[in-house]
Amino acid sequence: KNQVEQSPQSLIILEGKNCTLQCNYTVSPFSNLRWYKQDTGRGPVSLTIMTFSENTKSNGRYTATLDADTKQSSLHITASQLSDSASYICVVSLNSGTYKYIFGTGTRLKVLA
Amino acid sequence: NAGVTQTPKFRVLKTGQSMTLLCAQDMNHEYMYWYRQDPGMGLRLIHYSVGEGTTAKGEVPDGYNVSRLKKQNFLLGLESAAPSQTSVYFCATRLAGGPEETQYFGPGTRLLVL
């Protein structure tokens, strides 16, 4: 069964601190993995995308890594800001069809001043 | 350039009532999707469309119907609403092509069925 699991479910950190979110997947055939940021009351917005051959991708203070052998990905946030408070969703695309996306349940991050 | 918009933003229905959710996009994207998002669950695909006049079922299509008469609009209908359809509904669009294409999401419609 294709699955994407994220941990932790929720996380609280102080402004300026770093944090790492985890994503484990069992999806086949794998095409790519994205991380989305979803602000409260808004739709998800793509942060990064990695294909099978890429093991790291950065977008400002966001750095995603991918280990295709262990089927794990992480999203590292550096020097967190209050605006980073959001849910972060890991999504894996299958290499078949036109609609196959497997969504994780997300990690809810709260950054405190 | 509004991107992806959804109408309405919020709606309360009584069991058995019907309604239509509208998704509109101005990005000339071929593919459009309807998802629902429930607490503790990932987004689940309801229906999708790969072009004007074409629709297909997704993971959880029961109780919903869709139409795509115009390329820029994708409508999601609930013929007889049930409390289990209480959810946040998201529309997404993307260009045709490979799975590397980005999905762009609307702001969501929050639906409460009493």
Side-chain angles (χ1 to χ4, degrees):
Chain A
K1 180 182 178 183
N2 291 318
Q3 273 187 315
V4 175
E5 296 181 346
Q6 294 186 242
S7 63
Q9 280 189 324
S10 62
L11 183 62
I12 300 175
I13 63 173
L14 293 176
E15 188 178 15
K17 298 296 186 182
N18 304 334
C19 67
T20 300
L21 314 180
Q22 300 290 344
C23 173
N24 296 338
Y25 63 91
T26 52
V27 175
S28 180
F30 174 90
S31 174
N32 60 65
L33 184 148
R34 286 184 188 274
W35 284 92
Y36 281 86
K37 179 185 180 188
Q38 184 177 19
D39 292 315
T40 301
R42 308 290 292 272
V45 175
S46 180
L47 289 174
T48 65
I49 176 175
M50 289 178 293
T51 60
F52 185 87
S53 59
E54 296 174 298
N55 55 22
T56 188
K57 187 71 70 76
S58 291
N59 179 359
R61 295 180 295 102
Y62 301 101
T63 300
T65 63
L66 175 64
D67 185 332
D69 292 331
T70 62
K71 298 187 178 181
Q72 295 180 328
S73 176
S74 64
L75 180 69
H76 186 75
I77 304 175
T78 303
S80 62
Q81 300 176 357
L82 297 179
S83 59
D84 292 331
S85 294
S87 288
Y88 292 85
I89 302 172
C90 176
V91 185
V92 178
S93 300
L94 276 71
N95 192 20
S96 63
T98 58
Y99 66 91
K100 286 290 189 182
Y101 300 90
I102 311 298
F103 289 79
T105 57
T107 292
R108 187 181 299 272
L109 174 66
K110 178 72 173 175
V111 180
L112 300 178
Chain B
N1 193 341
V4 183
T5 59
Q6 293 184 231
T7 309
K9 289 184 171 55
F10 176 69
R11 184 78 182 268
V12 179
L13 287 180
K14 294 182 180 179
T15 297
Q17 288 185 319
S18 63
M19 78 164 294
T20 299
L21 284 69
L22 169 64
C23 175
Q25 55 109 351
D26 61 4
M27 297 184 288
N28 204 32
H29 286 177
E30 290 84 3
Y31 296 175
M32 298 185 75
Y33 307 78
W34 276 109
Y35 292 94
R36 60 178 289 173
Q37 187 176 42
D38 300 294
M41 303 185 74
L43 274 82
R44 293 183 292 168
L45 182 65
I46 305 171
H47 285 281
Y48 68 101
S49 168
V50 298
E52 181 179 323
T54 71
T55 63
K57 294 180 180 180
E59 182 185 358
V60 288
D62 294 341
Y64 305 95
N65 57 75
V66 288
S67 66
R68 191 157 177 212
L69 300 179
K70 295 182 179 180
K71 184 177 183 179
Q72 63 268 33
N73 294 339
F74 195 26
L75 282 71
L76 177 70
L78 286 73
E79 289 186 348
S80 179
S84 60
Q85 294 178 305
T86 293
S87 187
V88 182
Y89 292 86
F90 287 99
C91 174
T93 74
R94 52 160 276 188
L95 289 167
E100 71 281 359
E101 293 294 340
T102 300
Q103 282 189 313
Y104 294 86
F105 287 84
T109 292
R110 188 174 298 273
L111 176 64
L112 175 62
V113 183
L114 302 175

